[in-house]
Amino acid sequence: SSTAKTANEVAVHAQYEWSPDTRWTINGGLRVSSAFVDEKTYYIPEPRLSARFSPREREAFKLSYSRMGQYIH
């Protein structure tokens, strides 16, 4: 026999983009997801960071980082 569980998920995301000069663009963000399972609440913070450097008009170098989470179903 199995026991039924009720689960809901919700998430919010905020980000900020900053260009210290014409060659650099930096973007930082945070997503926070929440899972509500029966009487418990779980949170996973998911930070993001990216940088873009354009030394010339038709060139760009990009670097990014993100941490992602997934709840077990």
Side-chain angles (χ1 to χ4, degrees), residues 2-68:
S2 67
T3 304
K5 291 191 179 271
T6 300
N8 292 297
E9 292 183 34
V10 67
V12 294
H13 180 260
Q15 69 179 24
Y16 181 74
E17 185 174 288
W18 176 54
S19 296
D21 63 37
T22 58
R23 298 177 302 161
W24 283 95
T25 302
I26 299 169
N27 189 308
L30 179 66
R31 179 181 189 268
V32 178
S33 63
S34 304
F36 306 98
V37 182
D38 293 334
E39 299 297 319
K40 290 188 173 185
T41 303
Y42 302 92
Y43 297 98
I44 299 178
E46 301 176 11
R48 280 113 156 113
L49 181 64
S50 66
R52 180 177 187 262
F53 175 66
S54 297
R56 295 179 192 85
E57 186 177 329
R58 296 180 59 109
E59 288 182 342
F61 299 95
K62 299 175 184 178
L63 180 68
S64 65
Y65 165 82
S66 65
R67 178 179 177 256
M68 297 180 195

